[in-house]
Amino acid sequence: MKNTIRTLRKELKLSQEELARQCGVTRQTINAIENEKYDPTLALAFKLSIQLQTRVDELFSYEEEKK
């Protein structure tokens, strides 16, 4: 799942550690989501959208894998 977390986080001058603390997860979780290695739960997606001052549907986009 594609996301704009890194871009928005940097615009708000937040480190991965700061965003992780605000959302109640580890920095490694934020890193994995930013690098599209982990899809967050719906609850975490909403927490991220609140902290990054955007909507969930603007934060994440789904692209089917091409075969």
Side-chain angles (χ1 to χ4, degrees), residues 40-58:
T41 63
L42 186 56
L44 179 52
F46 274 99
K47 288 178 185 179
L48 288 165
S49 70
I50 290 167
Q51 296 305 320
L52 296 171
Q53 303 170 12
T54 191
R55 296 185 338 226
V56 172
D57 64 330
E58 292 178 344

Side-chain angles (χ1 to χ4, degrees), residues 3 11 16-17 21 27 31 47 50 63:
N3 68 74
E11 285 176 8
Q16 287 183 341
E17 186 68 39
R21 190 172 4 89
R27 183 200 60 77
N31 184 284
K47 288 178 185 179
I50 290 167
E63 293 181 13

Side-chain angles (χ1 to χ4, degrees), residues 20-33:
R21 190 172 4 89
Q22 292 170 355
C23 293
V25 296
T26 65
R27 183 200 60 77
Q28 290 85 349
T29 299
I30 299 299
N31 184 284
I33 296 168

Side-chain angles (χ1 to χ4, degrees), residues 15-16 18-20 32 35 37 39 43-44 51 54 63:
S15 67
Q16 287 183 341
E18 290 168 320
L19 181 58
N35 289 303
K37 306 238 184 259
D39 292 335
L44 179 52
Q51 296 305 320
T54 191
E63 293 181 13

